[in-house]
Amino acid sequence: MRLAALTCEVLARSVYLCAARSPHVVDVRLNRRGLHDDPPNLRAILQAELDVTGPPYDAVVLAYGLCGGATAGLRAGSIPLVVPRAHDCITLFLGDRARYQAEFVGNPGTYWYVQDYLERTDEGSAFGGVGAVSDAAARATHQEYIEKYGEDNAAYLMEMLGAWRSHYNRAAFVEMSIAPEQAAEAAERRARDDANRRGWRFDRLAGELVLIKGLIDGAWDPADYLVLQPGERLAMSYGEDVIRAEGAPAG
Amino acid sequence: MDDLSALTAAIEVGDRTTAVALARAAVESGVDTREVLGAMTGAMEVVGKRFQCNEIYVPEMLIAARAMKESMAVLEPVLVKAGIRPEHTAVIGTIKGDLHDIGKNLVAMMWKGANIGVVDLGTDVSPEQFVAAAQEHHADIVGVSALLTTTMVGMKDVVVALREADLSGIKVVIGGAPVTREFADQIGADGFATDAGGAVEAVKHALAS
């Protein structure tokens, strides 16, 4: 098969590795990380790519989860669309949605760190958790608030919008064992430093490539992947299978 | 512009100093308490609508809500003295496992701004805690918020727990970015909102149903 793999750059190393080893011909397209902050925008970006991706590809494989509902509503284009049954990329890093669920229930206050996110942070940023806002970006936001709303309101807004940090107590670094030792150590050090700075416990978890490998290898077990045919769209299932297919209205 | 219009305007733009001063002046000069309250809740109504139309965003809403909250603190003793109480009481919290509370905090402020009494249970609230709080505070509204699709599914357990506790008269309003009408209908919630701007409308609609 010839596959088009649309992926968030947080999965770049994993997807490239699996693509290099896949029995199929795989073209990888990366989207900027952090787009889940604005799910409708991420959905529009992905849909635009799906709409223009057809033969000679046999299928599009999507290395994304539901990502805050961003992928809900995506319509397959003229070829099948394959999506892992995952709420977000952490399932893809851990290789098993039951494992993610167990982590989630056991440690709801976990902030996740992965290699690609840490090494693809904005220049000068000391902060690189999945979904994080960089320190540089936070400073720029503060300045913008001062100009728009005055010092008093700006201070209040930064406090309110940063209050989420007080609910977290654990940093979890998922080690995929892909990057060279030096790069992996540098990423882990950044995660540890961040955890220390925030007073969070640090845990190092071994990641599993199995879900990404299956996606790129075309081993689409219905238990782990949803295959949408042309004319179908993705919907949330609100159950353990996470997502389901439904007919897409014409137009 | 009369003082009450100015009070409304100050809340709308999040000028808490002016809003509090005008609320105090109105109270001290004996302006009808209900009129002052109306000027304040009217401001939050406008803020909610502008948010829904994408004319303003979370920061503007937060500072408006703070101006409202502080002005309300000036008015509250007078309301109590006059025997004016919120018509409804809501308990609100994020669903078990979800620690993201900016949206929930905004909804709480919007509901207070609409003169609904709000008991905030915080984050990571279990169905049993929702039930206990609803009973204790004689709530007629339960608000449940989730940011994550992972935790959202647990909202159903709150609806079930309330029904099992024979509290089926209580209106359950769910909210959060991933929440949809389809999901609300599926779990038997009485209303839903995807953002704080729609939360007041959602609760009014649920109470009227």
Side-chain angles (χ1 to χ4, degrees), chain B:
Chain B
M1 187 186 285
D2 64 38
D3 283 352
L4 287 186
S5 303
L7 170 60
T8 304
I11 291 173
E12 282 178 24
V13 298
D15 179 355
R16 63 168 177 153
T17 311
T18 304
V20 167
L22 290 170
R24 188 165 290 131
V27 166
E28 284 170 1
S29 60
V31 178
D32 183 84
T33 312
R34 285 182 195 275
E35 278 184 35
V36 183
L37 182 63
M40 290 162 59
T41 55
M44 291 314 285
E45 226 170 272
V46 170
V47 167
K49 282 180 183 153
R50 293 184 66 202
F51 183 83
Q52 279 190 293
C53 297
N54 290 324
E55 288 174 20
I56 59 167
Y57 298 95
V58 168
E60 286 90 349
M61 206 168 179
L62 277 170
I63 59 175
R66 178 168 72 153
M68 171 76 190
K69 186 180 170 191
E70 295 186 4
S71 309
M72 197 64 150
V74 173
L75 196 61
E76 251 160 17
V78 191
L79 290 171
V80 171
K81 212 170 162 186
I84 301 169
R85 292 163 167 271
E87 277 179 52
H88 302 285
T89 301
V91 297
I92 188 170
T94 73
I95 190 64
K96 187 161 182 54
D98 208 317
L99 306 177
H100 303 85
D101 60 356
I102 292 178
K104 181 268 296 172
N105 294 340
L106 267 172
V107 171
M109 289 193 268
M110 291 301 292
W111 282 357
K112 282 180 192 167
N115 197 28
I116 294 169
V118 176
V119 179
D120 190 343
L121 305 178
T123 60
D124 192 17
V125 182
S126 68
E128 298 74 28
Q129 288 170 304
F130 275 111
V131 168
Q135 287 170 326
E136 182 188 344
H137 299 284
H138 306 290
D140 42 7
I141 305 155
V142 168
V144 193
S145 151
L147 177 71
L148 305 174
T149 55
T150 329
T151 55
M152 186 177 88
V153 290
M155 289 174 154
K156 185 179 182 180
D157 300 334
V158 178
V159 177
V160 171
L162 287 166
R163 304 296 180 249
E164 283 176 356
D166 208 16
L167 296 172
S168 47
I170 293 180
K171 303 294 183 183
V172 181
V173 178
I174 62 172
V179 170
T180 60
R181 177 182 301 280
E182 180 195 26
F183 178 64
D185 290 345
Q186 190 179 312
I187 68 170
D190 301 288
F192 86 103
T194 52
D195 58 49
V200 172
E201 210 173 296
V203 85
K204 282 183 181 168
H205 193 260
L207 286 166
S209 65

Side-chain angles (χ1 to χ4, degrees), chain A residues 74 112 158 200 218 228:
Chain A
L74 280 182
W112 296 91
M158 294 309 286
W200 295 340
L228 294 153

